[in-house]
Amino acid sequence: MTHLHATITFADEGDFVAAVPSLLGFHPVDSIVVLAVVDDGPRCRIGQLMRSDLRLPGDDLFMARYLSQTCAQNGGSRVFVLITGGGSERLPQSDFVDLVRAAFDEEGVSVELAVWARSARAGEKWWCYDDPERCGEVPDPDIAPVAAALTVAGLVKYPTREALAATLAPDPPDDIRRRSVLIDARLQAEFRNGQAGECDPEAFSRDWALVDAALDDFTRSTEDLSGRGSEPLWEDERIVGLAVALCHSDVRSECLKVALSARAPAAVRLWTRLTRSTPAPERAQPAVLLAIGAYLRGDGPLAHIALDVAMEANPGHALASLLRAAIGHAIAPTELREIITRASQYSTRTVAAP
């Protein structure tokens, strides 16, 4: 689920189809995509974007109601619906689209248009469910106005959801195993010294200095190469130190504050790097921070994938479970930001100025 605050114009159904890959961050396959609009007129302010795999026929009613209720709860007044794939014949999934339309009608939300295409790639044919004779070609998604706007905002498009998930694939197994041994030894030593969970002031200052320096590295690398993916190279010792630092609740609380600051883009890149570099179960900590940072900037697909990684690394991670439930109920990024702001006010830790 993605929340965006952008204004775009759709000249026809083809423009809508072409916008979807950039809005999602990847090309949807065998999917239903619902774009909610929160104002009237030809210029549509996007309130919410939802995507789901096409389900088996027995799940159609559940999915239709879930989409419509979620949209209504978040203030959507009308929606655009896209079906990709789902069959080789023209306008497949017609019965499902009828269920979706009826479910939105029950919630007082109108379906502005419903369109089908085999894919959202340039040159594909689109067809309209409301007028089976109405059709056209999908423009090139890479040069659609929304693609340029979202690229400037820092959101990258991938060919598939799997390609997006691959950006969080772990480092080579030998590297992960070696770091796991080092992290276990470090955490066991802390446990023997009574430092597990939350640091004493001296340990906190040391651990936060590690995180702070790493954020500086990623801020500089982003500035030097205009955010094109340059990353500082680190040895195991630094990765292990950061992984252990994020095991401490007071350090993580400080990291949440960073998500609300000008350093948020650098933080997303740092958490991405640590999600790839850190073994389970500690991998869950940067993955959750990445999910928060991604969701706050409107990147719902990456947030979902990061939460999947966190839950796989540590199925009992409380914050990951809470965040997954919140995102599943389409919490607005502004509301999540307010929650983090209020929570940070309870933190009594003061970070000393360098």
Side-chain angles (χ1 to χ4, degrees):
M1 217 160 294
T2 299
H3 292 255
L4 298 163
H5 298 282
T7 302
I8 58 176
T9 300
F10 297 144
D12 61 14
E13 291 89 337
D15 281 354
F16 164 52
V17 178
V20 164
S22 292
L23 293 171
L24 279 177
F26 58 89
H27 282 265
V29 177
D30 291 325
S31 301
I32 177 171
V33 180
V34 175
L35 177 70
V37 175
V38 295
D39 62 346
D40 295 323
R43 294 183 66 83
C44 306
R45 184 168 63 84
I46 299 169
Q48 184 180 32
L49 186 72
M50 297 178 283
R51 187 213 67 91
S52 177
D53 294 338
L54 293 175
R55 304 299 184 93
L56 297 173
D59 297 326
D60 283 354
L61 182 58
F62 169 82
M63 177 53 60
R65 287 176 173 169
Y66 172 77
L67 292 170
S68 62
Q69 291 171 5
T70 301
C71 178
Q73 289 169 2
N74 285 275
S77 58
R78 52 196 179 103
V79 296
F80 298 79
V81 176
L82 169 66
I83 302 289
T84 60
S88 56
E89 74 280 6
R90 187 173 68 179
L91 294 175
Q93 305 287 324
S94 294
D95 291 343
F96 177 42
V97 171
D98 289 342
L99 284 175
V100 169
R101 192 184 300 278
F104 275 101
D105 284 344
E106 289 180 5
E107 298 296 333
V109 178
S110 65
V111 176
E112 192 79 359
L113 63 84
V115 61
W116 172 79
R118 287 188 176 86
S119 78
R121 300 187 184 279
E124 283 282 10
K125 205 82 165 177
W126 59 261
W127 300 84
C128 181
Y129 283 97
D130 298 308
D131 181 358
E133 299 304 315
R134 182 172 172 78
C135 63
E137 284 193 357
V138 179
D140 188 346
D142 291 336
I143 60 174
V146 67
L150 293 177
T151 299
V152 170
L155 300 183
V156 180
K157 183 174 67 213
Y158 292 86
T160 63
R161 189 179 189 276
E162 290 72 22
L164 174 58
T167 63
L168 299 184
D171 286 350
D174 287 347
D175 294 343
I176 295 296
R177 282 193 291 268
R178 187 175 64 250
R179 293 165 193 160
S180 181
V181 171
L182 294 171
I183 289 171
D184 286 347
R186 185 83 63 88
L187 290 176
Q188 288 171 9
E190 285 193 355
F191 182 79
R192 288 194 297 270
N193 294 329
Q195 295 177 343
E198 184 170 325
C199 307
D200 59 45
E202 182 178 349
F204 171 81
S205 295
R206 181 191 64 233
D207 283 346
W208 177 249
L210 285 175
V211 177
D212 192 47
L215 286 167
D216 283 346
D217 282 352
F218 275 90
T219 299
R220 283 193 295 270
S221 66
T222 299
E223 291 173 349
D224 290 346
L225 294 177
S226 301
R228 294 182 181 179
S230 172
E231 291 185 356
L233 298 176
W234 292 343
E235 300 294 333
D236 280 354
E237 183 65 22
R238 192 173 192 189
I239 294 171
V240 168
L242 288 164
V244 171
L246 293 183
C247 289
H248 302 140
S249 58
D250 45 4
V251 175
R252 294 196 302 274
S253 295
E254 206 63 36
C255 290
L256 287 177
K257 298 177 186 178
V258 175
L260 308 177
S261 73
R263 301 171 89 188
V268 166
R269 296 185 64 213
L270 172 59
W271 310 143
T272 300
R273 170 67 179 275
L274 290 177
T275 299
R276 296 198 307 262
S277 304
T278 306
E282 292 79 20
R283 187 182 193 214
Q285 308 295 3
V288 169
L289 291 170
L290 172 59
I292 292 171
Y295 200 73
L296 287 177
R297 72 176 187 179
D299 196 344
L302 179 58
H304 276 285
I305 290 170
L307 285 177
D308 288 344
V309 169
M311 294 300 292
E312 181 180 357
N314 182 1
H317 198 286
L319 183 55
S321 298
L322 288 171
L323 189 58
R324 172 176 275 181
I327 292 177
H329 286 84
I331 185 174
T334 51
E335 186 177 352
L336 179 59
R337 184 178 294 274
E338 290 172 2
I339 291 172
I340 294 173
T341 301
R342 290 198 298 269
S344 67
Q345 293 172 352
Y346 289 97
S347 173
T348 57
R349 182 77 69 179
T350 300
V351 181

